[in-house]
Structures are given as C-alpha cells and as structure tokens.
Amino acid sequence: MADLVEVHFVPAAQTAWVRAGVTIVAAGEAAGVDIVTGCTQGMCGTDPVRIRSGGVDLSPPEPHEIGTLERMGLGVGHRLACSARVLRGRIEIETGTF
Ligand code: FES
C-alpha cells in the first residue's frame, strides 16, 4: 500500500487508492467519478477541479496548464484533471462547475 495514493472526491463522496503518477481523471475513473475531458492536454479547460487538500502532493503544473487556468480566471487551488498527477498521501478533490 506504500505506493498507493488516497484520492477522495467530493461531492460524490467516493475514494480510490491509485498508483502514484496517475492523473486526477484516472483516479476519478477508479473511484467511479466521471470527469468530462476534451483535449486531455491541458489546453481546452474542460476539466477544472478544486483541490481541497493535498495540493502539495500533486505534480507541479506545467506552463501550459497554468496558462489555461489563468485564461479561465481560476486561481490558486484549481488544477486541470487531465494534467495534474497524484504523487503521494491523501488528496481531496472537488468536482463541479468552476
Ligand atoms: S481535457 Fe482539455 S484541459 Fe484537460
């Protein structure tokens, strides 16, 4: 279990334990939470999520993800589910419309 990351989704109240390095989209699939995607490249902005806790346990955002979030007017605490990868610990993610 040492290499598994606990990812909890709200408001669905679903949790998955996934391998370190998978995307939030993949963690959502494992938890039974469907996150709608588009480009899957961090460019279209279809899949923003809010990180409620454990943001430091995600992969750091690449410049194109930061640019997309800025274009969408989403600040600190938001990530694109196709781009952010879970690395360790326990992460709580809010899905919805932002
Ligand atoms: S699916 Fe396009 S930014 Fe994530």
Side-chain angles (χ1 to χ4, degrees), residues 24 47-49 51 58-61 65 69 77-81 83-84:
I24 291 174
D47 56 343
V49 295
I51 309 304
L58 294 169
S59 61
E65 182 186 357
L69 289 167
H78 291 86
R79 294 296 302 270
L80 297 172
S83 300

Side-chain angles (χ1 to χ4, degrees), residues 40-63:
T40 70
Q41 302 293 315
M43 304 299 289
C44 71
T46 300
D47 56 343
V49 295
R50 181 178 293 142
I51 309 304
R52 286 192 164 190
S53 66
V56 297
D57 294 323
L58 294 169
S59 61
E62 299 287 336

Side-chain angles (χ1 to χ4, degrees), residues 9-50:
F9 290 88
V10 294
Q14 296 292 327
T15 300
W17 285 263
V18 296
R19 285 184 295 109
V22 305
T23 64
I24 291 174
V25 170
E29 288 173 0
V33 176
D34 188 31
I35 300 173
V36 176
T37 58
C39 69
T40 70
Q41 302 293 315
M43 304 299 289
C44 71
T46 300
D47 56 343
V49 295
R50 181 178 293 142

